[in-house]
Amino acid sequence: LGAQALWQHRGAALAASADTGPAAVGSPWRTGLVSNVLNPKIAVFYTGLLPALAPPHLPAAWAMTLLVLLHTALTLAWLGSYVFLLSKAGPVLHEPRIRRLLGRTTGIALIGFGLAIATTSG
């Protein structure tokens, strides 16, 4: 993956493809909702971990409702700030020079992670 990222983000190849992005399919809200609803990690979280975090002095239904609402509020705050930050950084992140830098950095990091995994024993 690291070599592929480095290869894809070499010089002129990125500049030529910088204007072509993935085709939009449907509403971003619908895409996000479907990906969250079908995410198995959320199902495991809600069925496995969340009941263990419920306050013992509350009835189970109220405790779970409170935790689900808290999780929803935190998720909305986190993803809302993420969207806001990326919407402001969008013009900078679309510059070919920045995209090459990010692609190369990602490629080098992936190669480093692969080498670290390959050289560990155990």
Side-chain angles (χ1 to χ4, degrees), residues 4 8 15 25 35 40 48 57-58 82 90 92 96 105 113:
Q4 183 181 12
Q8 287 178 346
V25 177
S35 69
H57 63 278
L58 289 177
Y82 189 61
V92 173
T105 304
F113 290 145

Side-chain angles (χ1 to χ4, degrees), residues 69-85:
L69 290 174
L70 179 63
H71 181 246
T72 302
L74 289 171
T75 300
L76 286 173
W78 170 253
L79 292 179
S81 5
Y82 189 61
V83 167
F84 177 75
L85 176 69

Side-chain angles (χ1 to χ4, degrees), residues 11 20 31-32 36 46 58 62 64 81 84 87 91 104 110:
T20 61
T31 303
N36 270 316
Y46 274 105
L58 289 177
W62 286 106
M64 292 303 292
S81 5
F84 177 75
S87 70
R104 289 175 181 163
L110 287 171

Side-chain angles (χ1 to χ4, degrees), residues 84-103:
F84 177 75
L85 176 69
L86 288 178
S87 70
K88 296 298 181 188
V92 173
L93 294 174
H94 280 96
E95 292 180 17
R97 182 177 61 85
I98 300 297
R99 288 180 57 152
R100 273 193 308 273
L101 177 66
L102 288 173

Side-chain angles (χ1 to χ4, degrees), residues 29-50:
W29 288 103
R30 184 178 61 219
T31 303
L33 177 67
V34 169
S35 69
N36 270 316
V37 168
L38 298 178
N39 186 349
K41 291 183 292 187
I42 297 300
V44 169
F45 175 74
Y46 274 105
T47 58
L49 182 64
L50 206 60

